Amino acid sequence: NEQDERFIFLVSVVTGEYCEVGGEDAEKLTMPPEIPNNSGMRYDSVINNARRSLARKSMFAVFDDNAACPKYLIKFRLVQNQV
């Protein structure tokens, strides 16, 4: 906006059954991949960083708006280094 403020939502997310994705394929997803051998059912979400432990995963992506519940709207302003 005019005051150079930025906004970000902090949300709670229901991730459900997820699969790991990476690379260029992840950027092109518009819906989660199908679950193998499950008659067309899809995963609920996807996650990056396939080689990290679950505690170190950094980003889940959900494809259904009902899976995310906004908790806070955080307003902030970037500060330039003053050296």
Side-chain angles (χ1 to χ4, degrees), residues 11-48:
V11 301
S12 291
V13 177
V14 177
T15 58
E17 189 171 353
Y18 63 89
C19 67
E20 297 175 343
V21 297
E24 293 179 14
D25 292 338
E27 295 175 9
K28 297 176 185 174
L29 286 177
T30 58
M31 60 178 37
E34 289 187 8
I35 301 171
N37 304 319
N38 200 348
S39 67
M41 295 292 294
R42 295 186 176 275
Y43 288 100
D44 300 304
S45 61
V46 296
I47 191 169
N48 68 338

Side-chain angles (χ1 to χ4, degrees), residues 8 11 23 30 34 41 49 55 62 64 71 83:
I8 189 168
V11 301
T30 58
E34 289 187 8
M41 295 292 294
N49 301 329
V62 295
D64 180 2
K71 296 292 184 182
V83 181

